[in-house]
Amino acid sequence: MPRPEVLDSIKEAEAEADEIVAEAEREREERIAEARAQAEDIRDEAREEANELAETRLAEAREEIDAEREEILAAGEEEREALESRSEGRVDEVVEFVVSRFEEAVHAQT
């Protein structure tokens, strides 16, 4: 092969190699951009799932707290009623005791 043809062939091969390298770089950049977009989508989905899970757990905790609150209120109401019932049963006894003490105090003064 004559020298000018060899040089032309080398130049063509170099140009082809440059095009192949440039195309590979473009594809690499596209893949990187796609991977970044995909990673962002995955992060967004993960955030959304985490928020939904947090909201679900918060709602469940509120329900548990409300149920416990109702139990405490019911127990308090029962205790109040029991105390009230016991105190009503002792009214006569207390009145009698107070009157007796009053009479003792009056008699002690006379």
Side-chain angles (χ1 to χ4, degrees):
M1 208 184 272
R3 259 182 130 64
E5 289 177 7
V6 170
L7 289 175
D8 288 341
S9 176
I10 291 172
K11 285 182 183 179
E12 283 179 28
E14 286 178 348
E16 264 184 59
D18 288 344
E19 282 182 38
I20 290 171
V21 168
E23 179 63 26
E25 285 181 11
R26 279 191 297 273
E27 287 179 9
R28 179 180 71 91
E29 292 300 321
E30 285 177 17
R31 287 184 181 153
I32 289 172
E34 288 174 7
R36 285 185 176 143
Q38 201 172 28
E40 185 63 31
D41 289 344
I42 290 170
R43 281 191 296 272
D44 289 343
E45 281 182 36
R47 274 189 213 106
E48 189 174 317
E49 287 178 19
N51 287 339
E52 288 174 6
L53 181 61
E55 287 177 19
T56 299
R57 287 186 177 168
L58 183 60
E60 289 171 356
R62 284 185 177 143
E63 287 177 12
E64 287 178 22
I65 289 169
D66 286 344
E68 188 175 339
R69 177 182 171 271
E70 291 302 318
E71 288 176 14
I72 291 169
L73 289 174
E77 180 66 20
E78 287 178 18
E79 189 174 336
R80 183 194 61 79
E81 288 174 1
L83 286 171
E84 194 174 281
S85 176
R86 280 189 301 187
S87 65
E88 285 175 359
R90 297 188 67 197
V91 168
D92 292 338
E93 181 183 329
V94 170
V95 168
E96 194 174 305
F97 175 77
V98 170
V99 169
S100 144
R101 288 290 194 142
F102 179 73
E103 287 175 349
E104 288 175 11
V106 169
H107 288 278
Q109 288 179 0
T110 56

Coordinates of all heavy atoms in Angstrom, one line a residue, residues 5-93:
E5 N -2.0 6.4 1.0 CA -3.2 5.6 1.3 C -3.1 5.1 2.7 O -4.1 5.0 3.4 CB -3.2 4.4 0.3 CG -3.6 4.9 -1.1 CD -3.6 3.7 -2.1 OE1 -3.5 2.6 -1.6 OE2 -3.8 4.0 -3.3
V6 N -1.9 4.7 3.2 CA -1.8 4.2 4.5 C -2.1 5.3 5.5 O -2.8 5.1 6.5 CB -0.3 3.7 4.8 CG1 -0.1 3.4 6.2 CG2 -0.1 2.4 3.9
L7 N -1.6 6.5 5.2 CA -1.9 7.7 6.1 C -3.4 8.0 6.1 O -4.0 8.2 7.2 CB -1.1 8.9 5.7 CG 0.3 8.8 5.9 CD1 1.0 10.1 5.3 CD2 0.6 8.8 7.4
D8 N -4.0 7.9 4.9 CA -5.5 8.2 4.9 C -6.3 7.1 5.6 O -7.2 7.3 6.3 CB -6.0 8.2 3.4 CG -5.5 9.4 2.7 OD1 -5.2 10.4 3.4 OD2 -5.5 9.4 1.4
S9 N -5.8 5.8 5.5 CA -6.4 4.7 6.2 C -6.3 4.9 7.7 O -7.2 4.7 8.5 CB -5.8 3.4 5.8 OG -6.3 2.4 6.5
I10 N -5.1 5.3 8.2 CA -4.9 5.6 9.6 C -5.8 6.7 10.1 O -6.4 6.6 11.1 CB -3.4 5.9 9.9 CG1 -2.6 4.6 9.6 CG2 -3.2 6.4 11.3 CD1 -1.1 4.8 9.7
K11 N -5.9 7.8 9.3 CA -6.7 8.9 9.7 C -8.2 8.5 9.7 O -8.9 8.9 10.7 CB -6.6 10.1 8.6 CG -5.3 10.8 8.8 CD -5.2 11.9 7.8 CE -3.9 12.7 7.9 NZ -3.7 13.7 6.9
E12 N -8.6 7.7 8.8 CA -10.0 7.2 8.8 C -10.3 6.3 10.1 O -11.3 6.5 10.8 CB -10.3 6.4 7.6 CG -10.6 7.2 6.4 CD -10.9 6.3 5.1 OE1 -11.4 5.2 5.3 OE2 -10.6 6.8 4.0
A13 N -9.3 5.5 10.4 CA -9.4 4.6 11.6 C -9.4 5.5 12.8 O -10.2 5.2 13.8 CB -8.2 3.6 11.6
E14 N -8.6 6.5 12.9 CA -8.6 7.4 14.1 C -9.9 8.2 14.2 O -10.4 8.3 15.3 CB -7.4 8.4 13.9 CG -6.1 7.8 14.2 CD -4.9 8.8 14.1 OE1 -5.2 9.9 13.5 OE2 -3.8 8.5 14.5
A15 N -10.4 8.6 13.0 CA -11.7 9.3 13.0 C -12.8 8.4 13.5 O -13.7 8.8 14.3 CB -12.0 9.9 11.6
E16 N -12.8 7.1 13.0 CA -13.8 6.2 13.5 C -13.7 5.9 15.0 O -14.7 5.8 15.7 CB -13.6 4.8 12.7 CG -14.5 4.7 11.5 CD -14.3 3.3 10.9 OE1 -14.5 2.3 11.6 OE2 -13.9 3.2 9.7
A17 N -12.4 5.8 15.4 CA -12.2 5.5 16.9 C -12.7 6.7 17.7 O -13.3 6.6 18.7 CB -10.7 5.3 17.1
D18 N -12.4 8.0 17.2 CA -12.9 9.1 17.9 C -14.4 9.2 17.9 O -15.0 9.5 19.0 CB -12.4 10.4 17.2 CG -10.9 10.7 17.4 OD1 -10.4 10.0 18.3 OD2 -10.3 11.5 16.6
E19 N -15.1 8.8 16.8 CA -16.6 8.7 16.8 C -17.1 7.7 17.8 O -18.0 7.9 18.5 CB -17.1 8.4 15.4 CG -17.1 9.6 14.5 CD -17.6 9.2 13.1 OE1 -18.6 8.4 13.0 OE2 -17.1 9.7 12.1
I20 N -16.4 6.5 17.8 CA -16.8 5.4 18.7 C -16.6 5.9 20.2 O -17.5 5.7 21.0 CB -16.0 4.2 18.5 CG1 -16.4 3.5 17.1 CG2 -16.2 3.2 19.6 CD1 -15.5 2.4 16.7
V21 N -15.5 6.6 20.5 CA -15.3 7.1 21.8 C -16.3 8.1 22.2 O -16.9 8.1 23.3 CB -13.9 7.6 22.0 CG1 -13.7 8.4 23.3 CG2 -12.8 6.5 21.9
A22 N -16.6 9.1 21.3 CA -17.6 10.1 21.5 C -19.0 9.5 21.7 O -19.7 9.9 22.6 CB -17.6 11.1 20.3
E23 N -19.3 8.5 20.9 CA -20.6 7.9 21.1 C -20.7 7.2 22.4 O -21.7 7.2 23.1 CB -20.9 6.9 19.9 CG -22.2 6.1 20.0 CD -23.4 7.0 19.9 OE1 -23.3 8.1 19.3 OE2 -24.5 6.6 20.4
A24 N -19.6 6.5 22.8 CA -19.6 5.8 24.1 C -19.7 6.8 25.2 O -20.4 6.5 26.2 CB -18.3 5.0 24.2
E25 N -19.1 7.9 25.1 CA -19.2 9.0 26.2 C -20.6 9.5 26.2 O -21.1 9.7 27.3 CB -18.2 10.1 25.9 CG -16.8 9.7 26.3 CD -15.8 10.8 26.0 OE1 -16.2 12.0 25.8 OE2 -14.6 10.6 26.1
R26 N -21.3 9.7 25.1 CA -22.6 10.2 25.1 C -23.6 9.1 25.7 O -24.4 9.5 26.6 CB -23.1 10.5 23.6 CG -22.7 11.8 23.1 CD -23.5 12.1 21.8 NE -23.1 11.2 20.7 CZ -22.1 11.3 19.9 NH1 -21.3 12.3 20.0 NH2 -21.9 10.4 18.9
E27 N -23.4 7.9 25.4 CA -24.2 6.8 26.0 C -23.9 6.7 27.5 O -24.8 6.5 28.3 CB -23.8 5.5 25.3 CG -24.4 5.3 23.9 CD -24.0 4.0 23.3 OE1 -23.5 3.1 24.0 OE2 -24.3 3.8 22.1
R28 N -22.6 6.9 27.9 CA -22.3 6.9 29.3 C -23.0 8.0 30.0 O -23.6 7.8 31.1 CB -20.8 7.0 29.5 CG -20.4 7.0 30.9 CD -18.9 7.1 31.1 NE -18.4 8.4 30.7 CZ -18.2 9.4 31.6 NH1 -18.5 9.3 32.8 NH2 -17.8 10.6 31.2
E29 N -23.0 9.2 29.5 CA -23.7 10.4 30.1 C -25.2 10.1 30.1 O -25.8 10.5 31.2 CB -23.3 11.6 29.3 CG -21.9 12.1 29.4 CD -21.5 12.4 30.8 OE1 -22.3 12.9 31.6 OE2 -20.3 12.0 31.2
E30 N -25.7 9.6 29.1 CA -27.2 9.3 29.1 C -27.5 8.2 30.2 O -28.5 8.4 30.9 CB -27.6 8.7 27.7 CG -27.7 9.7 26.6 CD -28.1 9.1 25.3 OE1 -28.6 8.0 25.3 OE2 -27.9 9.8 24.3
R31 N -26.7 7.2 30.3 CA -26.9 6.2 31.3 C -26.8 6.8 32.7 O -27.6 6.4 33.6 CB -26.0 5.0 31.1 CG -26.3 4.2 29.9 CD -25.5 3.0 29.8 NE -25.8 2.2 28.6 CZ -25.0 1.4 28.0 NH1 -23.8 1.3 28.4 NH2 -25.4 0.8 26.9
I32 N -25.8 7.6 32.9 CA -25.6 8.3 34.2 C -26.9 9.1 34.5 O -27.4 9.1 35.6 CB -24.3 9.1 34.2 CG1 -23.1 8.2 34.3 CG2 -24.3 10.1 35.4 CD1 -21.8 8.9 34.1
A33 N -27.3 9.9 33.5 CA -28.5 10.8 33.8 C -29.7 9.9 34.1 O -30.5 10.2 35.0 CB -28.8 11.6 32.5
E34 N -29.9 8.8 33.3 CA -31.0 7.9 33.6 C -30.9 7.3 35.0 O -31.9 7.2 35.7 CB -31.1 6.8 32.5 CG -31.5 7.2 31.2 CD -31.4 6.1 30.1 OE1 -31.1 5.0 30.5 OE2 -31.6 6.4 28.9
A35 N -29.7 6.9 35.4 CA -29.5 6.3 36.7 C -29.8 7.3 37.8 O -30.4 7.0 38.8 CB -28.1 5.8 36.8
R36 N -29.4 8.6 37.6 CA -29.7 9.6 38.6 C -31.2 9.8 38.7 O -31.7 10.0 39.8 CB -28.9 10.9 38.2 CG -27.5 10.8 38.5 CD -26.8 12.1 38.2 NE -25.4 12.0 38.6 CZ -24.4 12.6 38.0 NH1 -24.6 13.4 36.9 NH2 -23.2 12.4 38.4
A37 N -31.8 9.9 37.5 CA -33.3 10.1 37.6 C -34.0 8.9 38.2 O -34.9 9.1 39.0 CB -33.8 10.3 36.1
Q38 N -33.5 7.7 37.9 CA -34.1 6.5 38.6 C -33.8 6.5 40.1 O -34.7 6.2 40.9 CB -33.5 5.3 37.9 CG -34.2 4.0 38.1 CD -33.6 2.9 37.3 OE1 -32.4 2.9 37.0 NE2 -34.5 2.0 36.8
A39 N -32.6 6.9 40.5 CA -32.3 7.0 41.9 C -33.2 8.0 42.6 O -33.7 7.8 43.7 CB -30.8 7.4 42.1
E40 N -33.4 9.2 41.9 CA -34.3 10.2 42.5 C -35.7 9.7 42.7 O -36.4 9.9 43.7 CB -34.3 11.5 41.7 CG -35.1 12.6 42.2 CD -34.5 13.1 43.6 OE1 -33.3 13.0 43.8 OE2 -35.3 13.6 44.4
D41 N -36.2 8.9 41.6 CA -37.5 8.3 41.7 C -37.6 7.3 42.9 O -38.6 7.3 43.6 CB -37.9 7.6 40.4 CG -38.1 8.6 39.3 OD1 -38.3 9.8 39.5 OD2 -38.1 8.1 38.1
I42 N -36.6 6.6 43.0 CA -36.6 5.6 44.1 C -36.6 6.3 45.5 O -37.3 5.9 46.4 CB -35.3 4.6 44.0 CG1 -35.5 3.7 42.8 CG2 -35.1 3.8 45.3 CD1 -34.3 2.9 42.4
R43 N -35.8 7.4 45.6 CA -35.8 8.1 46.9 C -37.1 8.8 47.1 O -37.6 8.8 48.3 CB -34.7 9.2 46.8 CG -33.3 8.7 47.1 CD -32.3 9.9 47.3 NE -32.1 10.7 46.1 CZ -31.3 10.5 45.2 NH1 -30.5 9.5 45.2 NH2 -31.2 11.4 44.1
D44 N -37.8 9.3 46.1 CA -39.1 9.9 46.3 C -40.1 8.8 46.7 O -40.9 9.1 47.6 CB -39.6 10.5 44.9 CG -38.8 11.8 44.6 OD1 -38.1 12.4 45.5 OD2 -38.9 12.2 43.4
E45 N -40.0 7.7 46.1 CA -40.9 6.6 46.5 C -40.7 6.2 48.0 O -41.6 5.9 48.7 CB -40.8 5.4 45.6 CG -41.5 5.5 44.3 CD -41.3 4.2 43.4 OE1 -41.3 3.1 44.0 OE2 -41.2 4.3 42.2
A46 N -39.4 6.1 48.3 CA -39.1 5.7 49.7 C -39.5 6.7 50.7 O -40.1 6.4 51.7 CB -37.5 5.5 49.8
R47 N -39.4 8.0 50.3 CA -39.9 9.1 51.2 C -41.4 9.0 51.4 O -41.9 9.1 52.5 CB -39.5 10.4 50.7 CG -38.2 10.9 51.0 CD -38.0 12.4 50.6 NE -36.6 12.6 50.3 CZ -36.1 12.7 49.1 NH1 -36.9 12.7 48.0 NH2 -34.8 12.9 48.9
E48 N -42.1 8.8 50.3 CA -43.5 8.7 50.3 C -44.0 7.5 51.1 O -44.9 7.6 52.0 CB -44.1 8.5 48.9 CG -45.6 8.6 48.8 CD -46.0 8.6 47.3 OE1 -45.4 9.3 46.5 OE2 -47.0 7.9 47.1
E49 N -43.3 6.3 51.0 CA -43.7 5.1 51.7 C -43.4 5.4 53.2 O -44.2 5.0 54.1 CB -42.9 3.9 51.3 CG -43.4 3.4 49.9 CD -42.5 2.2 49.4 OE1 -41.8 1.6 50.2 OE2 -42.6 1.9 48.2
A50 N -42.3 6.0 53.5 CA -41.9 6.3 54.9 C -42.9 7.3 55.5 O -43.4 7.1 56.7 CB -40.5 6.9 55.0
N51 N -43.4 8.3 54.8 CA -44.4 9.2 55.3 C -45.7 8.5 55.5 O -46.4 8.7 56.5 CB -44.6 10.4 54.3 CG -43.5 11.3 54.3 OD1 -42.7 11.4 55.3 ND2 -43.3 12.1 53.3
E52 N -46.1 7.6 54.6 CA -47.3 6.9 54.8 C -47.3 5.9 56.0 O -48.2 5.8 56.8 CB -47.6 6.0 53.5 CG -48.1 6.9 52.3 CD -48.2 6.0 51.0 OE1 -48.1 4.8 51.1 OE2 -48.5 6.7 50.0
L53 N -46.1 5.3 56.1 CA -45.9 4.4 57.3 C -46.0 5.2 58.6 O -46.6 4.8 59.6 CB -44.6 3.7 57.2 CG -44.3 2.7 58.3 CD1 -45.3 1.6 58.4 CD2 -42.9 2.1 58.1
A54 N -45.3 6.4 58.6 CA -45.3 7.2 59.8 C -46.8 7.7 60.1 O -47.2 7.6 61.3 CB -44.4 8.4 59.6
E55 N -47.5 8.0 59.1 CA -48.9 8.5 59.3 C -49.7 7.3 59.9 O -50.6 7.5 60.7 CB -49.5 9.0 58.0 CG -49.0 10.4 57.6 CD -49.5 10.9 56.3 OE1 -50.6 10.4 55.9 OE2 -48.9 11.8 55.7
T56 N -49.5 6.1 59.3 CA -50.3 4.9 59.8 C -49.9 4.6 61.2 O -50.8 4.4 62.0 CB -49.9 3.7 58.9 OG1 -50.3 4.0 57.5 CG2 -50.6 2.5 59.4
R57 N -48.6 4.7 61.5 CA -48.2 4.4 62.9 C -48.8 5.4 63.9 O -49.2 5.1 65.0 CB -46.7 4.3 63.0 CG -46.2 3.0 62.4 CD -44.7 2.9 62.6 NE -44.2 1.6 62.1 CZ -43.0 1.3 61.9 NH1 -42.0 2.2 62.3 NH2 -42.6 0.1 61.4
L58 N -48.8 6.7 63.4 CA -49.3 7.8 64.3 C -50.8 7.6 64.5 O -51.2 7.7 65.6 CB -49.0 9.1 63.6 CG -49.4 10.4 64.4 CD1 -48.7 10.4 65.7 CD2 -49.1 11.6 63.6
A59 N -51.5 7.2 63.5 CA -52.9 7.0 63.6 C -53.2 5.8 64.6 O -54.1 5.9 65.4 CB -53.6 6.7 62.3
E60 N -52.4 4.7 64.4 CA -52.6 3.6 65.3 C -52.3 4.0 66.8 O -53.0 3.6 67.7 CB -51.6 2.5 64.9 CG -52.1 1.8 63.6 CD -51.0 0.8 63.1 OE1 -49.9 0.7 63.7 OE2 -51.3 0.2 62.0
A61 N -51.2 4.8 67.0 CA -50.8 5.2 68.3 C -52.0 6.1 68.9 O -52.3 6.0 70.1 CB -49.5 6.0 68.3
R62 N -52.5 6.9 68.1 CA -53.6 7.8 68.6 C -54.8 6.9 69.0 O -55.5 7.2 70.0 CB -54.0 8.8 67.5 CG -53.1 9.9 67.4 CD -53.5 11.0 66.4 NE -52.6 12.1 66.4 CZ -52.3 12.8 65.3 NH1 -52.8 12.5 64.1 NH2 -51.4 13.8 65.4
E63 N -55.1 5.9 68.2 CA -56.2 5.0 68.5 C -56.0 4.3 69.8 O -56.9 4.2 70.7 CB -56.4 4.0 67.4 CG -57.1 4.6 66.2 CD -57.2 3.6 65.0 OE1 -57.0 2.3 65.3 OE2 -57.5 4.0 63.9
E64 N -54.7 3.9 70.0 CA -54.4 3.2 71.3 C -54.5 4.1 72.5 O -55.0 3.8 73.5 CB -52.9 2.6 71.2 CG -52.8 1.4 70.3 CD -51.3 1.0 70.2 OE1 -50.5 1.3 71.2 OE2 -51.0 0.3 69.3
I65 N -54.0 5.4 72.3 CA -54.1 6.4 73.3 C -55.5 6.7 73.7 O -55.9 6.8 74.8 CB -53.3 7.6 72.9 CG1 -51.8 7.3 72.9 CG2 -53.6 8.8 73.8 CD1 -51.0 8.4 72.3
D66 N -56.4 6.8 72.6 CA -57.8 7.1 72.9 C -58.5 6.0 73.6 O -59.3 6.2 74.5 CB -58.5 7.4 71.5 CG -58.2 8.7 70.9 OD1 -57.7 9.6 71.7 OD2 -58.4 8.9 69.7
A67 N -58.1 4.7 73.2 CA -58.7 3.6 73.9 C -58.3 3.5 75.4 O -59.1 3.3 76.3 CB -58.3 2.3 73.2
E68 N -57.0 3.8 75.6 CA -56.5 3.8 77.0 C -57.1 4.9 77.8 O -57.5 4.7 78.9 CB -55.0 3.9 77.0 CG -54.3 3.8 78.3 CD -52.8 3.8 78.2 OE1 -52.2 3.6 77.2 OE2 -52.2 4.1 79.3
R69 N -57.3 6.1 77.2 CA -57.9 7.2 77.8 C -59.4 6.8 78.2 O -59.8 7.1 79.3 CB -57.9 8.4 76.9 CG -58.6 9.6 77.4 CD -58.6 10.8 76.3 NE -59.4 11.8 76.7 CZ -60.7 12.0 76.5 NH1 -61.3 11.1 75.8 NH2 -61.4 13.0 76.9
E70 N -60.1 6.2 77.3 CA -61.5 5.8 77.6 C -61.5 4.8 78.8 O -62.4 4.9 79.6 CB -62.1 5.2 76.4 CG -62.4 6.2 75.3 CD -63.3 7.4 75.8 OE1 -64.3 7.1 76.5 OE2 -63.0 8.5 75.4
E71 N -60.5 3.9 78.8 CA -60.5 2.9 79.9 C -60.2 3.6 81.2 O -60.8 3.3 82.2 CB -59.4 1.9 79.6 CG -59.7 0.9 78.6 CD -58.5 0.0 78.3 OE1 -57.6 -0.1 79.1 OE2 -58.6 -0.7 77.2
I72 N -59.3 4.6 81.2 CA -59.0 5.3 82.4 C -60.2 6.1 82.9 O -60.5 6.2 84.1 CB -57.7 6.3 82.2 CG1 -56.5 5.4 82.0 CG2 -57.6 7.2 83.3 CD1 -55.3 6.2 81.5
L73 N -60.8 6.8 82.0 CA -62.0 7.6 82.3 C -63.1 6.6 82.9 O -63.8 7.0 83.9 CB -62.6 8.3 81.1 CG -61.7 9.5 80.7 CD1 -62.3 10.1 79.4 CD2 -61.6 10.6 81.7
A74 N -63.3 5.5 82.3 CA -64.3 4.6 82.8 C -64.0 4.1 84.2 O -64.8 4.0 85.1 CB -64.5 3.4 81.8
A75 N -62.7 3.7 84.4 CA -62.3 3.3 85.7 C -62.5 4.4 86.7 O -62.9 4.2 87.9 CB -60.8 2.8 85.7
G76 N -62.1 5.6 86.4 CA -62.3 6.8 87.3 C -63.8 7.0 87.6 O -64.1 7.3 88.7
E77 N -64.6 6.8 86.6 CA -66.1 7.0 86.8 C -66.6 5.9 87.8 O -67.4 6.2 88.7 CB -66.8 6.9 85.5 CG -68.3 7.1 85.6 CD -68.8 8.5 86.0 OE1 -68.0 9.4 85.9 OE2 -69.9 8.6 86.5
E78 N -66.1 4.7 87.6 CA -66.5 3.6 88.5 C -66.1 3.9 89.9 O -66.8 3.7 90.9 CB -66.0 2.3 88.0 CG -66.6 1.7 86.8 CD -66.0 0.4 86.3 OE1 -65.3 -0.2 87.1 OE2 -66.2 0.1 85.2
E79 N -64.8 4.3 90.1 CA -64.3 4.6 91.4 C -65.1 5.8 92.0 O -65.4 5.7 93.2 CB -62.8 5.0 91.3 CG -62.1 5.1 92.6 CD -60.6 5.3 92.5 OE1 -60.0 4.9 91.4 OE2 -60.1 5.8 93.4
R80 N -65.4 6.8 91.2 CA -66.2 7.9 91.8 C -67.5 7.5 92.3 O -68.0 7.8 93.4 CB -66.3 9.0 90.7 CG -67.1 10.2 91.2 CD -67.5 11.2 90.1 NE -68.5 10.5 89.2 CZ -69.8 10.4 89.4 NH1 -70.3 10.7 90.6 NH2 -70.6 9.8 88.6
E81 N -68.2 6.6 91.5 CA -69.5 6.1 91.9 C -69.4 5.3 93.1 O -70.3 5.4 94.0 CB -70.1 5.3 90.7 CG -70.5 6.2 89.5 CD -71.0 5.3 88.4 OE1 -71.0 4.1 88.4 OE2 -71.4 5.9 87.3
A82 N -68.3 4.5 93.2 CA -68.2 3.6 94.4 C -67.9 4.5 95.7 O -68.5 4.3 96.7 CB -67.0 2.7 94.2
L83 N -67.1 5.5 95.5 CA -66.9 6.5 96.7 C -68.1 7.2 97.0 O -68.4 7.4 98.2 CB -65.8 7.5 96.3 CG -64.3 6.9 96.3 CD1 -63.4 8.0 95.7 CD2 -63.9 6.5 97.7
E84 N -68.9 7.6 96.0 CA -70.1 8.3 96.3 C -71.1 7.4 97.0 O -71.8 7.8 98.0 CB -70.7 8.8 94.9 CG -71.8 9.8 95.0 CD -72.2 10.3 93.7 OE1 -71.5 11.2 93.1 OE2 -73.2 9.8 93.1
S85 N -71.2 6.2 96.6 CA -72.1 5.2 97.2 C -71.7 5.0 98.6 O -72.6 5.0 99.5 CB -72.1 3.9 96.4 OG -72.9 3.0 97.0
R86 N -70.4 4.8 98.9 CA -70.0 4.5 100.3 C -70.2 5.7 101.1 O -70.6 5.6 102.3 CB -68.5 4.2 100.3 CG -68.2 2.8 99.9 CD -66.8 2.4 100.2 NE -66.0 3.3 99.3 CZ -64.7 3.2 99.2 NH1 -64.0 2.3 99.8 NH2 -64.0 4.1 98.4
S87 N -70.0 6.9 100.6 CA -70.2 8.1 101.4 C -71.6 8.4 101.7 O -72.0 8.8 102.8 CB -69.5 9.4 100.7 OG -70.2 9.6 99.5
E88 N -72.5 8.1 100.8 CA -74.0 8.2 101.0 C -74.4 7.3 102.1 O -75.3 7.6 102.9 CB -74.8 8.0 99.7 CG -74.7 9.1 98.7 CD -75.4 8.8 97.4 OE1 -75.9 7.7 97.3 OE2 -75.3 9.7 96.5
G89 N -73.8 6.1 102.2 CA -74.2 5.1 103.2 C -73.7 5.6 104.6 O -74.2 5.1 105.6
R90 N -72.8 6.4 104.6 CA -72.2 6.8 105.9 C -72.7 8.2 106.4 O -72.2 8.7 107.4 CB -70.7 6.8 105.8 CG -70.1 5.4 105.5 CD -68.7 5.4 105.6 NE -68.2 5.6 107.0 CZ -67.0 5.9 107.3 NH1 -66.1 6.1 106.4 NH2 -66.7 6.1 108.6
V91 N -73.5 8.8 105.6 CA -74.0 10.2 106.0 C -74.6 10.2 107.4 O -74.3 11.0 108.3 CB -75.0 10.7 105.0 CG1 -75.7 12.0 105.5 CG2 -74.3 11.0 103.7
D92 N -75.5 9.2 107.6 CA -76.2 9.2 109.0 C -75.2 9.0 110.1 O -75.2 9.6 111.1 CB -77.2 8.1 109.0 CG -78.4 8.4 108.1 OD1 -78.6 9.6 107.8 OD2 -79.1 7.4 107.7
E93 N -74.2 8.1 109.8 CA -73.2 7.8 110.8 C -72.4 9.0 111.1 O -72.1 9.3 112.3 CB -72.3 6.7 110.3 CG -71.2 6.2 111.2 CD -70.3 5.1 110.5 OE1 -70.8 4.4 109.7 OE2 -69.1 5.1 110.9

